[in-house]
Amino acid sequence: MARKKIIAGNWKMNMTPSEAVELVNTLKPLVVTEEADVVFCVPSIDIIPAMEAAKGTNIQIGAENMYYEEKGAFTGEISPNMLTDVGVKYVIIGHSERREYFAETDETVNKKVLKAFEHGITPIICCGESLTQREQGITIDWIRQQIKIAFLNVTAEQAATAVIAYEPIWAIGTGKTATTEQAQEVCKAIRECIAEIYDEATAEAIRIQYGGSVNAATAPELFGQPDIDGGLVGGASLKPDFGKIVNYK
Ligand code: PGA
């Protein structure tokens, strides 16, 4: 069975609630498609207004982060129940910015991934190498380690529904997109790693996105690769260009 593409916006720390409504209203006629799942991952405070604005469209609203405990004394965090209560079905886990600025590790990523599955939320699990790692030729080893830890104790059935976002750190927000060959090579290696951990069927089912300076010009070739099932898009997801990325064909 062919995998359905998934194209997700990552708004990061942008858009107030009223701006979020405006942006959803601007983008909704532009992102209509039946060929891909379209997800806007937005700041927590924007989730409810964005959902209201997206009602009746093909846009699904996701979260950018989630904690791995159910509730309690974790000031400032957001729990899986809070997300499912309002109908959130996707959450970005382990974005490189969360790893860099908020001390997330492969282990906390794994805890969050397990918790998301427990609550029926699809995790968009981020991985990616730094420029130094790429230059040292250890990209694939590094990514395999991130994937193996992220999927610890995740069942094959759960893994088959997961989304992985391969985002080379040096390509995020820099305007330097990985070449199509670089992106395809790593996404293929990720799929092989999933096949090793689980089996071929799981590897064939899992969806793998590329992220890092994706724009309307680079999307068609990237998303046309056999192992790239869409993208995680930062900067360009805040602009009408996102419509062109979604309708990249
Ligand atoms: P970018 O961000 O498209 O602005 O590079 C991608 C991401 O961080 O998810």
Side-chain angles (χ1 to χ4, degrees):
M1 206 180 67
R3 290 181 297 271
K4 190 173 187 189
K5 298 273 191 236
I6 175 162
I7 299 169
N10 172 12
W11 287 11
K12 310 196 179 187
M13 199 175 73
N14 294 295
M15 301 291 136
T16 64
S18 45
E19 288 167 346
V21 169
E22 220 172 288
L23 183 58
V24 170
N25 285 332
T26 306
L27 291 180
K28 63 188 176 190
L30 307 177
V31 297
V32 177
T33 178
E34 286 186 354
E35 295 194 20
D37 289 327
V38 177
V39 186
F40 290 12
C41 295
V42 307
S44 308
I45 198 167
D46 295 345
I47 290 175
I48 294 173
M51 269 195 174
E52 288 291 317
K55 233 179 219 155
T57 74
N58 62 317
I59 301 167
Q60 306 194 62
I61 302 298
E64 296 178 12
N65 179 35
M66 179 198 89
Y67 199 47
Y68 54 75
E69 295 288 351
E70 301 286 341
K71 61 176 172 178
F74 304 103
T75 302
E77 288 297 310
I78 183 157
S79 77
N81 285 322
M82 294 171 189
L83 297 179
T84 54
D85 189 65
V86 295
V88 168
K89 299 211 167 53
Y90 291 94
V91 61
I92 299 174
I93 301 287
H95 189 278
S96 62
E97 288 149 17
R98 300 244 18 123
R99 295 178 191 249
E100 182 176 355
Y101 305 124
F102 303 99
E104 293 202 11
T105 62
D106 289 338
E107 287 71 24
T108 61
V109 166
N110 177 240
K111 286 184 182 182
K112 291 181 177 197
V113 167
L114 290 169
K115 203 37 112 175
F117 279 124
E118 196 182 311
H119 287 265
I121 307 172
T122 301
I124 299 175
I125 305 162
C126 300
C127 60
E129 82 287 3
S130 66
L131 190 56
T132 313
Q133 287 166 330
R134 176 155 288 273
E135 286 171 352
Q136 289 303 313
I138 58 171
T139 297
I140 305 275
D141 289 343
W142 174 258
I143 304 283
R144 283 172 54 85
Q145 176 173 321
Q146 288 187 318
I147 294 297
K148 286 192 173 174
I149 300 177
F151 282 84
L152 265 180
N153 298 319
V154 172
T155 67
E157 210 175 27
Q158 290 169 331
T161 68
V163 178
I164 296 172
Y166 165 56
E167 300 200 304
I169 297 169
W170 48 272
I172 295 177
T174 56
K176 279 190 213 152
T177 318
T179 65
T180 307
E181 293 71 28
Q182 287 171 328
Q184 162 59 22
E185 183 196 17
V186 179
C187 291
K188 180 165 180 270
I190 292 171
R191 204 176 298 288
E192 286 166 358
C193 184
I194 294 293
E196 263 174 56
I197 304 171
Y198 300 102
D199 47 48
E200 283 298 329
T202 309
E204 279 306 307
I206 201 166
R207 294 189 288 181
I208 305 174
Q209 299 173 315
Y210 167 79
S213 299
V214 173
N215 59 41
T218 55
E221 214 181 281
L222 284 164
F223 299 173
Q225 298 306 302
D227 289 294
I228 303 181
D229 305 313
L232 183 57
V233 184
S237 72
L238 302 169
K239 300 182 207 144
D241 241 25
F242 194 56
K244 293 195 192 129
I245 294 175
V246 166
N247 290 293
Y248 64 95
K249 274 192 189 162

